[in-house]
Amino acid sequence: MTEIKLHNSRSRTKEVFTPLDPQNVRMYVCGPTVYDRAHLGNARPVVVFDVLYRLLRHVAKTNGWGKVTYARNFTDVDDKINARALASDRRIEEITAETTQWFLDDMAALGALEPDHMPRATAYIPQMITMIEGLIEGDHAYAAEGHVLFRVRSYKQYGGLSGRSVDDMIAGARVEVAPFKEDPMDFVLWKPSDATQPGWDSPWGYGRPGWHIECSAMSYEILGASFDIHGGGNDLMFPHHENEIAQSCCAHPEGEFAQVWMHNEMLQVEGKKMSKSLGNFFTVRDLLDQGIPGEVIRFVFLSTHYRKPMDWTAEKAAGAESKLDDYIKSVAQYGDLEAARSTAPMDEIVQALADDLNTHAALGRLDHLANHAMGTELAANLVFLGLFSFEELEARVAQLQSGKDGLAPLAERLGQVRAAAMASKDFSEVDRLKSALLEAGVEVRMSKEGVELVPGPNFDPSRLEGLS
């Protein structure tokens, strides 16, 4: 049996994870608002909870649990989307369909598995209306001027997640001031729409849901009134997650909503908060288009614990690319990819992840496998951590072997030139050939045994044309 320990944001302690129903381990993660490309910060929770999903699926098999159900939503009704539609003169449905696919493609490039459920808010409007009606009936919400608002003080435990009282929150809180509110902290469950905005008929008029009710309705429909894990970035803890708890527990008092709350820390770039004004804001697609592979981005993410701020730097990316290239070479030299498909993940790596997703420690064990020529095990664990699929490893190994075969004549040529230089003491031709090889991204290894040429991560065979 593998014991998993996770840091629960609500209790602020690391707890042993015990599924509510071992036959159906359930996790919900807040997904993106789809109006543009996902920036690098958007990708961090995707990678964090993808690792947890992989861990849960593995442990479910070894512990005799049943299935793991992972849901991550798409917010496809939002004022930012409305603004983008007006500015671009495009239909909202067209924008959300395009940006949703962008998100899926970019996250797949980072090795993220698709969740079991990816609900879109617009597909659950009736369920949201039903939940709002129940809140009104229970005196937890009220209608006013085409709006419906949640009565925050009706839920006595409000603030339990973020650790603040309602009165403390009011000062400086990001709340919308409106004359129809009974209390400044009350938040919107439903709001009216005009002719330029998306809307649906409801008992309170033509309108659209507030952001918070979306996740509560979708998680209830897919996972039930109680489920195991709720995740997201720590910027969502208040007000979004706090509001989710309040409305969900009041709408379904028979349940307890999420058992464990997990939040990842934010991302920086070169030691500074990512912002367009600083010129250090970029999307995942920007990095991919610059030639930075998805596995490199994922490796950099995993190098820092999810509950610590992560600093993206060019130096870290270069180091990750070099490290992953070394792993590929080790797999190619010592591994059996067919055997790797049936090789279990290394126990030390599983235990590291089971200790509140200690991905840094898990990556350190990859070095152990590479340094001890355990290529088959290395391949299995690279796949377990989502850095490569087996198909990607096979392609990379084949590419490496093809490159080495193509470099064989040049290795022989350099060996001959080097032997002549040893006798003449004139190494100018050796230096010329070596320099050309290095510029083409070839790693040159010369020893008493001879010359070995290995294509590096930036190998460009076109730069070797005509070299003799």
Side-chain angles (χ1 to χ4, degrees), residues 216-269:
S216 284
M218 289 186 283
S219 63
Y220 174 74
E221 289 298 321
I222 297 169
L223 304 179
S226 300
F227 55 92
D228 297 295
I229 299 168
H230 195 311
N234 68 355
D235 58 326
L236 299 180
M237 186 182 294
F238 180 83
H240 185 51
H241 289 165
E242 199 76 76
N243 292 351
E244 274 191 76
I245 292 171
Q247 63 200 7
S248 293
C249 289
C250 290
H252 301 289
E254 75 280 7
E256 298 179 356
F257 201 42
Q259 176 183 234
V260 178
W261 285 86
M262 296 178 66
H263 294 90
N264 63 274
E265 256 289 357
M266 295 296 98
L267 177 141
Q268 298 177 326
V269 176

Side-chain angles (χ1 to χ4, degrees), residues 139-161:
D139 205 29
H140 294 291
Y142 57 95
E145 299 183 22
H147 295 74
V148 180
L149 296 108
F150 182 83
R151 196 175 269 119
V152 166
R153 293 184 189 272
S154 74
Y155 181 62
K156 302 305 181 184
Q157 289 76 39
Y158 192 86
L161 179 64

Side-chain angles (χ1 to χ4, degrees), residues 38-52 72 103 106-112 264-270 274 280 282-285 287-288 292-321 324 353 356-364 366 385-387:
H39 61 69
L40 198 58
N42 298 144
R44 193 179 191 198
V46 173
V47 172
V48 167
F49 292 103
D50 179 70
V51 172
L52 180 55
R72 187 187 66 219
F103 182 85
D106 291 347
M107 296 309 107
L110 304 188
N264 63 274
E265 256 289 357
M266 295 296 98
L267 177 141
Q268 298 177 326
V269 176
E270 303 289 350
M274 188 168 64
N280 66 349
F282 41 78
T283 67
V284 172
R285 180 53 50 180
L287 293 181
L288 295 172
I292 298 176
E295 64 269 18
V296 169
I297 300 172
R298 187 180 182 97
F299 191 97
V300 174
F301 279 5
L302 300 188
S303 299
T304 301
H305 192 271
Y306 78 95
R307 287 193 293 109
K308 293 182 179 180
M310 199 212 82
D311 190 19
W312 172 272
T313 68
E315 182 180 2
K316 286 182 180 178
E321 188 162 14
L324 288 165
L353 298 185
D356 195 32
L357 298 187
N358 189 345
T359 51
H360 178 76
L363 293 182
L366 294 180
L385 290 170
L387 292 163

